[in-house]
Amino acid sequence: MVYTGAQERKRGRAQRRGICCCCGALRPRYKRLVDNIFPEDSEDGLVKSNMEKLTFYALSAPEKLDRIGSYLSERLSRDVARHRYGYVCIAMEALDQLLMACHCQSINLFVESFLKMVAKLLESEKPNLQILGTNSFVKFSNIEEDTPSYHRSYDFFVSRFSEMCHSSCEDMEIRSKIRMAGIKGLQGVVRKTVNDELQANIWDPQHMDKIVPSLLYNLQHMEDTESRSPSPLQSTEKEKENPAELAERCLRELLGRAAYGNIKNAIKPVLMHLDNHSLWEPKIFAVRCFKIVMYSIQPQHSHLVIQQLLSHLDANSKSAATVRAGIVEVLSESAVIAATGSVGPTVLEVFNTLLRQLRLSIDYELTGSYDSAVNIGTKIIKEHEERMFQEAVIKTIGSFASTLPTYQRSEVMLFIMGKVPLPSMHHPIEPGRSGEIRNRLIQIMLLKSLLQVSLGFQCTNMLTALPSSFLDPLLSPILMEDAEIRLFVLEILVSLIDRHGNRHKFSPISTIPDIAVLRLKVDKCSRQDTLFMKKHSQQLYRHIYLSCNDPGNVQAHYEAVYALLVMISIELANEEVVVDLIRLVLAVQDLSLSNEDNLPAYSRCALHALCAAYLNLISQLTTVPAFCQHIHEVIEMRKKEASYLLPEDVFQEKPRWSKNVDQIETEVLFLQSKVSEVLGGSGYNSDRLSTPYVPQLTDEDRLSKRKSIGETISLQVEVESRNSPEKEERAPAEEITFETLKKAIVDSVAVEEQERERRRQVVEKFQKAPFEEIAAHCGARATLLQSKLNQIFELTIRPPPSPSGTITAAYGQPQNHSIPVYEMKFPDLCVY
């Protein structure tokens, strides 16, 4: 009789059973129950009825569970060695069911056997066995054990699963399955250990340095996956299940479970992975990684990530500019996300680090080396890459600032302003040509940063938000010769004052017939704004006037000055401020007419056009019909006879202006007498309007780089004395010229030395001189002081002048003659 292959195998098994039947009754029950779950043919699968008996026996006799596990492990090892993979699958299925059903105290020994079997499968070279072992481990990771385990270790599983995540199998489908199994295995390890204090600490660097890079390695292929299935709604479930998507979910879960003390260990491997694989450029993947990080961690932990990035930026201070730019770009994106959390106490630390990197970049750009001493083999520094890095830092500073409340942003602006090297006693600048270049670059970069911080700045109380300690150094660069620096300062002022977003509505400059089309957002001037202007208005006016009197101005400067005047008029103006602004603009017109500083013809035409545009706007804001009519008449006259004095001709891409601006007719000028007359009739202070504006020169001007201020502006101590009826009776004020300023600057050091020496002598005298000598000296000083006071009282407490008139002094000048009250003769009408 001829048997087939299957029949032959079945006949052999029957014979073996016959041989061992006499010994079967002697085997332990648990072994018989385990043997019975395996069918004659592995293709038939697990014998469910016998599996139920084994499960009932394990629940009834939990002390036998460890032996059941050991025996199953023994059989599985034998089947693996004999390549009987069908029975291996049956054994793992039985183990899974026993794990799900049993939660007794003796399950720990059974778990040890289970983990040995899983490890045996993971060590196999067969992908199917690796995946089978991983799936069993994932099921085990979802079981909540009732009894703790003190000696269980998952080091092997972390290492093996991480290795599977980096599978390089030639078959793409098999490689994808193995990687996904590795990711699921790591996810299972995390779930099993992260909340169990008795387990091995999964947050230790030895584990994180394997888990996180494995996830990021698979996450790098996200772009390929997206290109294959552009629409998530159209993709099938099979397409969605890929290593990149799974790695992202696992990474989010890992970071979401991280406690405060574990954030550092979780973020450091991310930074190291980006370093080792040069992923900071083109920085797309780096930004994506940290977006996942920032959205996954708890919001209150955001500042820890920011600190890690700042430390990493410092550690890479001498890396290529593209690498540093990538880190800064990640910082910028992370700062925007961290706005919902808390930046914490590291606000100034953030800006200090960024400003330090900005200064280092400027040094690298100027020296061409990362080291102070040029060595052989020094990396070549590309200037355009350093500029790119500097712009990235400035952008990041703006991103951080946008997340801060108003009071913190004010502190940041004050902090940045304190870093700007200015030509003053408190901010010494570096000497020499190289020092000047470096100082200029630092000034420009810091002012750019300050401009980014000021964008969108809104405050209800500008007096506290912009104190003198900030405004004074900010206004100082307006007097400098560098046109770019002056422009930045003007733009910063405009940005700080513009609290309702009106800036863009006034570009380009024009004489708008009806400003209602601009839809300006205007609020009534608050009490705090009034106090701010009372304290700082004259300082602002003076700097605006001096900034107009610069031959290096271009169109951008005039547009910034115009915007500044408009913003003050809209945001901070009351009746007194409006009057002062009109006086200031009329003084700018007189500046162009007198041309004491020999301004170019274009600058003079631009000043006239600036005045026309502003007076047209302020006349419509004041809504005084006579004032509006006068301004309109002058503008119409200019359109007919002198269009080169209007902004529509001057402020355009190809400006039209006239070189002959020395002879300008009165009809095309705004007259101060006329303006005073029409506004005085509407309740404005006509006396103040009729008084020309003259700026005051201060010590700040003497310390600035401007060399012609003292020569071009003749300042008088008494501003009101110009049109006073008693002008001819007063002595002329001392005129301050360039020579006097130069002498004051040169002599200031000597005067300070003399004063210091005098104080030292006084202190020494009072320490060593006898008491009688000190008393005599003080008595003489007291007598001298009393005599001076008597003279002052005699001059101030003097009877009024006699009604009889005046007497004539020398040179024919009339002089008042005082008569004591008791000698005065009063008219009869005054006698009661």
Side-chain angles (χ1 to χ4, degrees):
M1 185 176 181
V2 179
Y3 294 96
T4 63
Q7 291 174 339
E8 183 67 29
R9 289 194 298 273
K10 186 176 294 185
R11 180 170 168 270
R13 286 195 294 271
Q15 291 176 352
R16 287 194 295 273
R17 282 200 303 273
I19 296 172
C20 300
C21 61
C22 60
C23 301
L26 301 177
R27 292 168 60 82
R29 184 182 179 188
Y30 74 90
K31 286 189 177 182
R32 295 198 305 270
L33 291 173
V34 170
D35 290 337
N36 291 337
I37 67 175
F38 292 93
E40 294 183 0
D41 190 352
S42 61
E43 294 179 357
D44 295 339
L46 180 69
V47 180
K48 294 183 179 180
S49 58
N50 292 335
M51 185 65 213
E52 291 176 357
K53 294 178 182 178
L54 177 63
T55 303
F56 180 78
Y57 177 77
L59 292 174
S60 303
E63 68 277 1
K64 300 292 184 178
L65 192 58
D66 59 326
R67 298 184 182 183
I68 294 174
S70 298
Y71 185 60
L72 275 171
S73 175
E74 182 181 330
R75 287 204 53 155
L76 183 137
S77 300
R78 185 170 62 247
D79 291 335
V80 170
R82 295 176 179 178
H83 305 289
R84 300 168 63 180
Y85 301 125
Y87 290 106
V88 171
C89 294
I90 293 174
M92 292 307 300
E93 184 179 356
L95 283 169
D96 293 341
Q97 291 190 21
L98 287 174
L99 276 175
M100 297 296 293
C102 301
H103 295 277
C104 59
Q105 293 183 355
S106 59
I107 196 175
N108 281 331
L109 296 177
F110 177 75
V111 170
E112 292 297 330
S113 300
F114 167 78
L115 292 179
K116 287 180 181 179
M117 286 184 278
V118 171
K120 187 73 174 179
L121 295 179
L122 294 177
E123 289 176 341
S124 172
E125 295 180 356
K126 297 292 183 180
N128 292 336
L129 294 184
Q130 296 175 14
I131 295 172
L132 177 64
T134 302
N135 292 337
S136 294
F137 183 84
V138 170
K139 293 177 183 177
F140 163 70
S141 66
N142 293 323
I143 298 175
E144 294 184 6
E145 300 181 50
D146 296 335
T147 56
S149 175
Y150 296 94
H151 304 291
R152 192 180 301 166
S153 173
Y154 295 95
D155 293 357
F156 167 78
F157 295 100
V158 171
S159 300
R160 183 56 184 152
F161 288 139
S162 299
E163 184 179 349
M164 292 170 63
C165 290
H166 292 81
S167 174
S168 57
C169 182
E170 295 181 358
D171 190 328
M172 184 177 296
E173 184 176 356
I174 295 178
R175 181 173 70 233
S176 178
K177 289 181 178 180
I178 295 177
R179 288 186 178 182
M180 289 176 61
I183 296 171
K184 291 178 180 178
L186 292 177
Q187 191 175 26
V189 172
V190 172
R191 289 177 178 175
K192 196 64 180 174
T193 59
V194 71
N195 293 324
D196 192 348
E197 296 180 357
L198 299 176
Q199 304 290 353
N201 190 0
I202 200 66
W203 299 107
D204 286 344
Q206 59 179 347
H207 299 310
M208 285 290 105
D209 291 345
K210 297 176 182 177
I211 295 175
V212 174
S214 300
L215 300 177
L216 294 178
Y217 177 78
N218 288 273
L219 194 61
Q220 287 177 237
H221 301 281
M222 178 68 76
E223 289 74 16
D224 300 335
T225 305
E226 290 178 349
S227 63
R228 216 170 39 235
S229 56
S231 175
L233 297 177
Q234 297 175 358
S235 60
T236 63
E237 291 297 326
K238 186 176 181 180
E239 288 176 336
K240 287 183 179 179
E241 194 72 12
N242 58 75
E245 293 283 352
L246 189 60
E248 180 176 346
R249 290 201 300 269
C250 183
L251 182 61
R252 289 182 183 276
E253 181 179 349
L254 175 68
L255 295 171
R257 294 172 178 267
Y260 185 88
N262 302 324
I263 291 293
K264 183 178 179 180
N265 291 341
I267 300 302
K268 187 176 180 180
V270 179
L271 299 173
M272 298 306 297
H273 181 81
L274 297 175
D275 285 342
N276 296 334
H277 295 270
S278 301
L279 295 173
W280 292 112
E281 46 178 331
K283 71 198 173 189
I284 298 174
F285 179 72
V287 171
R288 176 172 190 156
C289 282
F290 273 89
K291 281 187 176 181
I292 293 174
V293 170
M294 298 303 293
Y295 282 120
S296 301
I297 63 175
Q298 300 179 31
Q300 62 268 27
H301 299 163
S302 299
H303 69 280
L304 296 176
V305 180
I306 302 298
Q307 285 180 333
Q308 286 286 95
L309 285 168
L310 290 172
S311 300
H312 198 67
L313 180 60
D314 281 337
N316 286 270
S317 297
K318 296 184 179 181
S319 300
T322 51
V323 173
R324 286 178 281 132
I327 300 174
V328 169
E329 183 71 21
V330 171
L331 263 172
S332 177
E333 296 291 340
S334 302
V336 176
I337 301 173
T340 56
S342 173
V343 181
T346 62
V347 174
L348 293 183
E349 177 189 350
V350 170
F351 289 95
N352 191 37
T353 301
L354 293 174
L355 294 179
R356 182 171 62 251
Q357 292 297 325
L358 201 58
R359 284 177 174 264
L360 286 174
S361 178
I362 292 173
D363 291 339
Y364 297 158
E365 179 184 349
L366 293 177
T367 61
S369 171
Y370 291 120
D371 301 316
S372 57
V374 180
N375 299 322
I376 299 176
T378 303
K379 296 180 181 179
I380 299 175
I381 294 178
K382 298 179 181 179
E383 184 177 343
H384 72 278
E385 291 182 352
E386 291 297 335
R387 291 291 177 90
M388 177 191 66
F389 169 72
Q390 293 163 14
E391 293 298 328
V393 171
I394 293 172
K395 176 187 173 184
T396 304
I397 289 175
S399 299
F400 269 105
S402 64
T403 67
L404 301 177
T406 301
Y407 75 94
Q408 279 190 328
R409 197 184 290 199
S410 300
E411 293 177 358
V412 170
M413 289 191 295
L414 184 60
F415 179 75
I416 296 177
M417 198 66 227
K419 300 285 186 179
V420 180
L422 296 174
S424 65
M425 292 179 293
H426 303 289
H427 299 85
I429 59 176
E430 295 183 10
R433 178 62 180 168
S434 60
E436 291 180 3
I437 296 175
R438 183 176 185 274
N439 286 322
R440 180 183 181 276
L441 287 176
I442 293 176
Q443 289 167 353
I444 290 175
M445 291 302 167
L446 292 181
L447 289 176
K448 274 187 178 180
S449 304
L450 192 58
L451 179 59
Q452 287 293 321
V453 176
S454 66
L455 294 177
F457 179 77
Q458 294 183 358
C459 62
T460 55
N461 189 351
M462 295 195 69
L463 192 63
T464 57
L466 304 177
S468 300
S469 56
F470 172 74
L471 276 182
D472 292 346
L474 175 63
L475 292 173
S476 178
I478 289 185
L479 307 178
M480 298 174 66
E481 292 179 345
D482 195 297
E484 188 175 4
I485 291 177
R486 287 189 278 113
L487 181 60
F488 277 125
V489 175
L490 291 172
E491 291 291 350
I492 291 170
L493 288 171
V494 172
S495 180
L496 291 174
I497 298 176
D498 182 19
R499 293 176 291 185
H500 293 87
N502 293 314
R503 171 69 172 89
H504 66 281
K505 300 177 182 179
F506 298 98
S507 183
I509 306 177
S510 61
T511 52
I512 305 174
D514 185 10
I515 63 172
V517 299
L518 299 178
R519 297 181 180 180
L520 300 176
K521 298 178 182 179
V522 183
D523 290 337
K524 186 178 179 181
C525 183
S526 64
R527 181 174 177 271
Q528 291 83 2
D529 293 340
T530 302
L531 294 175
F532 175 81
M533 290 305 293
K534 282 185 177 181
K535 185 174 183 180
H536 299 292
S537 60
Q538 296 304 319
Q539 190 180 14
L540 287 171
Y541 301 154
R542 184 173 63 86
H543 284 85
I544 293 174
Y545 181 87
L546 296 177
S547 65
C548 292
N549 189 30
D550 193 292
N553 287 340
V554 295
Q555 179 176 339
H557 292 85
Y558 298 114
E559 291 178 347
V561 170
Y562 175 72
L564 181 56
L565 289 169
V566 171
M567 289 304 113
I568 295 175
S569 304
I570 294 176
E571 299 283 352
L572 306 172
N574 52 25
E575 182 177 323
E576 182 180 350
V577 173
V578 169
V579 170
D580 287 340
L581 288 173
I582 294 174
R583 290 174 61 226
L584 172 62
V585 173
L586 293 176
V588 171
Q589 178 182 254
D590 293 340
L591 180 66
S592 177
L593 290 173
S594 61
N595 195 26
E596 296 178 1
D597 229 11
N598 295 323
L599 295 174
Y602 171 77
S603 298
R604 299 176 67 184
C605 293
L607 290 178
H608 282 291
L610 171 66
C611 295
Y614 176 74
L615 290 175
N616 172 70
L617 176 75
I618 198 66
S619 64
Q620 297 184 56
L621 289 175
T622 56
T623 64
V624 178
F627 186 30
C628 294
Q629 182 179 358
H630 171 64
I631 302 301
H632 179 71
E633 290 175 353
V634 175
I635 291 175
E636 291 298 322
M637 186 63 67
R638 288 189 179 185
K639 290 181 180 179
K640 296 177 182 179
E641 299 183 1
S643 62
Y644 56 87
L645 301 180
L646 291 175
E648 288 78 7
D649 280 15
V650 179
F651 301 127
Q652 57 179 346
E653 186 176 355
K654 295 182 179 180
R656 296 190 297 268
W657 47 279
S658 174
K659 294 182 179 180
N660 187 17
V661 288
D662 291 327
Q663 302 296 330
I664 299 180
E665 299 296 332
T666 309
E667 291 79 7
V668 296
L669 295 176
F670 302 99
L671 303 178
Q672 185 161 8
S673 58
K674 183 66 176 178
V675 172
S676 177
E677 177 185 346
V678 295
L679 287 179
S682 299
Y684 288 86
N685 190 341
S686 58
D687 293 338
R688 191 169 182 82
L689 281 167
S690 61
T691 305
Y693 172 78
V694 178
Q696 297 285 335
L697 193 66
T698 65
D699 294 337
E700 180 186 2
D701 305 323
R702 300 186 181 98
L703 293 171
S704 69
K705 288 186 177 179
R706 175 86 53 231
K707 298 178 181 178
S708 58
I709 294 177
E711 295 177 331
T712 58
I713 305 175
S714 178
L715 303 179
Q716 295 186 356
V717 178
E718 297 290 339
V719 178
E720 304 291 339
S721 65
R722 178 172 291 189
N723 292 339
S724 175
E726 297 181 359
K727 179 181 177 181
E728 65 278 359
E729 298 180 9
R730 300 178 183 176
E734 180 184 359
E735 184 177 359
I736 302 177
T737 62
F738 173 71
E739 293 300 330
T740 58
L741 288 176
K742 181 179 179 182
K743 184 178 179 181
I745 295 173
V746 172
D747 294 343
S748 60
V749 178
V751 171
E752 291 179 0
E753 291 293 336
Q754 293 176 2
E755 181 66 19
R756 193 178 296 110
E757 179 63 22
R758 188 187 66 80
R759 291 180 178 179
R760 188 190 63 79
Q761 293 177 357
V762 171
V763 172
E764 184 178 358
K765 180 177 180 180
F766 274 82
Q767 289 177 345
K768 299 180 180 180
F771 175 76
E772 292 78 7
E773 182 179 348
I774 295 175
H777 176 72
C778 293
R781 292 289 299 274
T783 304
L784 178 61
L785 176 62
Q786 186 61 43
S787 63
K788 294 294 183 181
L789 289 174
N790 292 336
Q791 294 178 11
I792 293 172
F793 291 150
E794 184 179 355
L795 293 174
T796 54
I797 309 174
R798 178 177 293 178
S802 172
S804 60
T806 60
I807 61 174
T808 302
Y811 307 106
Q813 296 294 330
Q815 189 178 25
N816 293 331
H817 179 67
S818 298
I819 301 176
V821 178
Y822 58 85
E823 293 183 0
M824 287 184 182
K825 295 182 179 180
F826 295 94
D828 296 338
L829 293 176
C830 295
V831 180
Y832 182 70

